[in-house]
Amino acid sequence: MTRTRGFSLIELTVVLVIMSLLTGVASVSVARRMRHARQADVIDATVRLDAEARLYAIDHKQRCVLSWSQYDNELQVVAADDADHIALRCTAPDGWIVSLLRPAGDEEVESVTFGEDGRTPTYAVEFRLPDGSYQRLLFAGVTGEVKRCDEQEDYRRYATLLSGDDAD
């Protein structure tokens, strides 16, 4: 009678350790990709919000205001005549700090007004992420062109170029 031999305890332990290491590496990679996807989603939503606010102002032939609500953690567009009616909104994930900036001098502003023709002054939206990094979106006032700036010098260069076409 022959006896079949199974796996030893050491062999099973080695396999489990290898599997747990592979799982750990894979989960770190997936978490990083999820974080980047979430960042891209919020940035795309902000760009869409700017475009929709411009169209809202043109379609309704009225000024509207883009502002940041810390209480709701969202960018909001309200009709200038009816501040209680939120026309459009874009929510940022928890832990993000969002600022509206005027490129000339980097001063923070509370709101940006879209004219009846959809024009705004050139402005930027800065996202400070929980990991300490930041992203800036620079919106050209007259053309509506959007530049994404990851580096400080890119932001300065584009802000200088685009601030010449302000609709102030």
Side-chain angles (χ1 to χ4, degrees):
M1 180 167 174
T2 59
R3 201 168 147 197
T4 57
R5 186 168 175 243
F7 294 107
S8 70
L9 185 60
I10 292 178
E11 291 170 331
L12 288 174
T13 304
V14 167
V15 168
L16 287 174
V17 167
I18 291 172
M19 288 177 61
S20 64
L21 287 173
L22 290 174
T23 303
V25 169
S27 66
V28 168
S29 176
V30 168
R32 185 180 314 121
R33 289 183 185 195
M34 291 288 287
R35 185 173 56 247
H36 289 304
R38 193 175 312 117
Q39 288 175 7
D41 186 44
V42 171
I43 288 171
D44 289 343
T46 304
V47 171
R48 283 192 314 270
L49 182 75
D50 176 78
E52 290 171 4
R54 289 174 191 278
L55 290 174
Y56 182 89
I58 293 168
D59 289 347
H60 292 85
K61 295 187 179 16
Q62 66 179 357
R63 295 179 314 119
C64 59
V65 178
L66 172 71
S67 62
W68 169 249
S69 168
Q70 286 185 315
Y71 177 74
D72 296 323
N73 203 31
E74 65 186 10
L75 285 166
Q76 300 175 339
V77 176
V78 297
D81 301 337
D82 184 9
D84 294 333
H85 173 67
I86 299 174
L88 306 164
R89 61 178 50 152
C90 171
T91 304
D94 290 338
W96 286 41
I97 299 171
V98 180
S99 304
L100 294 172
L101 304 172
R102 289 283 293 140
D106 277 347
E107 72 257 17
E108 243 181 89
V109 294
E110 291 190 17
S111 62
V112 175
T113 302
F114 290 78
E116 293 175 7
D117 57 358
R119 292 183 178 191
T120 66
T122 297
Y123 72 98
V125 177
E126 180 181 75
F127 299 99
R128 279 177 256 160
L129 311 177
D131 65 2
S133 64
Y134 70 91
Q135 296 278 327
R136 282 187 178 163
L137 294 175
L138 192 58
F139 295 90
V142 174
T143 63
E145 181 182 0
V146 180
K147 292 285 186 185
R148 182 176 173 175
C149 305
D150 296 329
E151 299 293 326
Q152 187 70 16
E153 62 188 58
D154 286 344
Y155 171 74
R156 296 257 184 250
R157 183 168 29 113
Y158 288 131
T160 303
L161 289 172
L162 295 178
S163 61
D165 68 350
D166 272 349
D168 285 334

